[in-house]
Amino acid sequence: MSQTRPPSPAEETSGADEPSLKQVMGPGLLLLFIVGDILGTGIYALTGEIAGEVGGAAWLPFAIAFAVALITACSYLELVTKYPQAAGAALYVHKAFGKHLLTFLVCFAVMCSGITSASAASRAFAANLATGFGLDVGNGVILLIALAFMLLVLAVNLRGVGESVKINVLLTAVELSGLLIVILVSLYFILGGNADFSRVVTFETASDKSVFLAVSTATSLAFFAMVGFEDSVNMAEETKNPARIFPRMMFTGLGITGLIYVLVSICAVAVVPVGQLSESETPLATVVQTAAPGFPISDLLPFISMFAVANSALINMLMASRLLYGMGKQGVLPPFLAKVHPGRRTPQAAIVFTTVIALGLITFVSLSPDSPVVSLLGGTTSLLLLAVFALVNVSVLVLRRERAATGHFSAGRVLPVVGAITCVYLVLPWSSGRPSGQYEIAGVLLALGLVLWVLTWYARRKANANAG
């Protein structure tokens, strides 16, 4: 007989009078959601910095990051097909351990990872827009463009998930076309005998790092380009028959993006010297300009990059709002976050709440325009998510004692253990080689989470005392 944790009163009553989310996503939309979420800011902005860590073998960190993501995706698939509800990792950890503080921190970490990713994307969107139109503007104007863009994302998310996912389809097609252009133009250059393939297998690391540590550091950064697959589990309540379609679409989406990343990174280092690539803020545009100088498509790439990072921002904010909605519905976060618009059936309170945090974060990071905003926030995103992924892999093993009412995907016994170990390895500072700034940002965010948890606990205690 399985041992299940009885739900708390808050879980039994929270959201009882709220309408359910609308199921609008079939296999095609789910696949595009996964591919569109993974593709984006990471590959467009960080290819050069990854090459700067390991030299021409920039494809290796992407390949390792893909393997780690694939292993952890198996754990997510077991849990999402067993518990097809919004809230994702926070829900799974809550079911496994039943500790409200731990659940809150997981929830807050995942939410912050989405918001930091979206904030970096909005800043990149503004910069690409200025570059595309040839605008010579200062940091203040870039900041205003980024804030305006985030307000546009707010409007799209409030409009409805159907509209958000349809826009995702369009943006995914644009960002995918940009990467295919990079690959095709590079192949033309390579077939013409102009490429230097010796760079592809050459390791060039900083003098204070061994090859192994440099690969670990680059993998920690490259993992930012692979995150996104986990966002889809927060859309479980809005997906038709998730137990059947999630495994196929998850593996297909990861396979497509992993292949594209490896091909793009190989082409990039074969076409452009590593030093030049690592110094460029728009590495893929540099690749196209080198492979086909004067070709008009090089002028279009900033706009394609703009759409790519826009898609990342849209989906990450979509995920963050659904996560907060799910936790509000479960009673882990304040119940007002579970408020659903009666007409649009979108989690309006959670959408506004996450957008306010994003606006504040964008403003804060823009105060230091000379700092490596994308790599710093991208690394922080992967740091937070890898810590959460380690807990998710452990949760799979803990929740094996609960039997699902219907058949579900199984990750087996070995993969969750391997996933937990590799995720922890990429989190620890002495093994991952991460800069201290990532830990500082993550620490501040988690400290903020603890403050909010204490305030929530105090408010509930006071409300219970008044009711008594």
Side-chain angles (χ1 to χ4, degrees):
M1 182 176 180
S2 63
Q3 301 295 317
T4 59
R5 181 187 61 80
S8 67
E11 291 174 321
E12 291 177 334
T13 61
S14 178
D17 297 328
E18 290 291 329
S20 61
L21 298 180
K22 187 176 182 180
Q23 292 185 330
V24 297
M25 298 182 69
L29 284 179
L30 181 61
L31 177 61
L32 287 170
F33 184 95
I34 294 171
V35 172
D37 200 6
I38 298 176
L39 295 178
T41 308
I43 187 65
Y44 275 93
L46 298 180
T47 303
E49 295 199 34
I50 292 171
E53 288 287 344
V54 296
W59 54 270
L60 182 59
F62 282 112
I64 297 174
F66 166 73
V68 175
L70 188 62
I71 292 171
T72 301
C74 291
S75 293
Y76 267 94
L77 284 174
E78 176 167 334
L79 293 170
V80 74
T81 54
K82 193 174 182 180
Y83 310 106
Q85 304 167 35
L91 174 65
Y92 309 145
V93 172
H94 192 63
K95 285 182 174 293
F97 303 103
K99 303 295 183 181
H100 282 265
L101 177 57
L102 180 60
T103 302
F104 188 93
L105 288 176
V106 169
C107 168
F108 201 79
V110 176
M111 182 198 72
C112 287
S113 73
I115 295 176
T116 53
S117 179
S119 299
S122 68
R123 176 74 188 192
F125 174 91
N128 276 286
L129 185 145
T131 300
F133 285 105
L135 303 177
D136 186 13
V137 295
N139 181 55
V141 175
I142 295 293
L143 171 59
L144 290 177
I145 295 173
L147 295 176
F149 167 72
M150 189 55 67
L151 291 176
L152 178 61
V153 172
L154 165 69
V156 172
N157 279 341
L158 286 174
R159 178 73 181 175
V161 67
E163 287 77 5
S164 300
V165 173
K166 289 174 184 176
I167 292 177
N168 168 60
V169 172
L170 174 62
L171 296 179
T172 298
V174 172
E175 64 186 349
L176 184 57
S177 68
L179 296 176
L180 292 177
I181 287 171
V182 172
I183 293 172
L184 293 176
V185 171
S186 298
L187 287 177
Y188 174 80
F189 184 79
I190 291 169
L191 292 176
N194 300 308
D196 184 359
F197 260 101
S198 65
R199 290 195 293 260
V200 177
V201 292
T202 301
F203 285 94
E204 298 176 18
T205 63
S207 58
D208 60 338
K209 288 185 179 180
S210 65
V211 171
F212 192 78
L213 182 59
V215 171
S216 298
T217 303
T219 300
S220 300
L221 189 56
F223 198 81
F224 173 59
M226 288 304 307
V227 299
F229 67 89
E230 79 286 349
D231 288 350
S232 62
V233 303
N234 295 298
M235 309 301 295
E237 288 189 39
E238 293 162 282
T239 302
K240 303 171 184 176
N241 197 1
R244 184 176 63 86
I245 71 172
F246 252 98
R248 289 188 292 116
M249 296 305 102
M250 182 78 81
F251 288 135
T252 302
L254 280 170
I256 291 172
T257 53
L259 177 62
I260 290 174
Y261 282 0
V262 170
L263 289 176
V264 168
S265 57
I266 289 175
C267 289
V269 296
V271 172
V272 181
V274 172
Q276 182 182 351
L277 191 68
S278 62
E279 293 174 359
S280 175
E281 294 184 4
T282 55
L284 298 191
T286 302
V287 171
V288 174
Q289 290 164 0
T290 302
F295 194 52
I297 196 64
S298 62
D299 296 327
L300 290 177
L301 210 58
F303 294 99
I304 294 176
S305 301
M306 184 175 69
F307 283 114
V309 298
N311 201 27
S312 296
L314 174 63
I315 296 182
N316 274 285
M317 294 306 291
L318 196 67
M319 173 276 295
S321 62
R322 267 56 182 185
L323 173 61
L324 288 186
Y325 157 80
M327 285 294 95
K329 188 177 179 181
Q330 289 289 325
V332 178
L333 289 178
F336 81 88
L337 291 172
K339 294 293 182 181
V340 175
H341 191 281
R344 293 291 177 186
R345 293 169 68 182
T346 54
Q348 55 184 0
I351 291 173
V352 173
F353 187 83
T354 52
T355 302
V356 170
I357 296 177
L359 293 174
L361 185 58
I362 294 167
T363 303
F364 175 75
V365 298
S366 296
L367 296 177
S368 301
D370 295 331
S371 65
V373 174
V374 176
S375 63
L376 192 59
L377 289 178
T380 304
T381 300
S382 68
L383 172 63
L384 291 167
L385 286 179
L386 282 165
V388 171
F389 291 170
L391 284 172
V392 169
N393 281 300
V394 174
S395 297
V396 169
L397 301 174
V398 174
L399 290 171
R400 291 276 169 84
R401 64 176 182 259
E402 291 191 9
R403 296 186 180 276
T406 57
H408 59 83
F409 182 87
S410 175
R413 295 181 179 274
V414 176
L415 288 182
V417 176
V418 174
I421 293 173
T422 53
C423 288
V424 170
Y425 176 86
L426 292 174
V427 164
L428 298 176
W430 51 83
S431 56
S432 66
R434 294 176 180 274
S436 60
Q438 295 180 15
Y439 295 97
E440 292 170 0
I441 295 175
V444 170
L445 290 174
L446 292 179
L448 176 61
L450 283 173
V451 171
L452 291 177
W453 181 85
V454 170
L455 293 176
T456 303
W457 172 82
Y458 178 77
R460 285 184 178 148
R461 182 180 180 183
K462 186 175 181 180
N464 291 334
N466 292 336

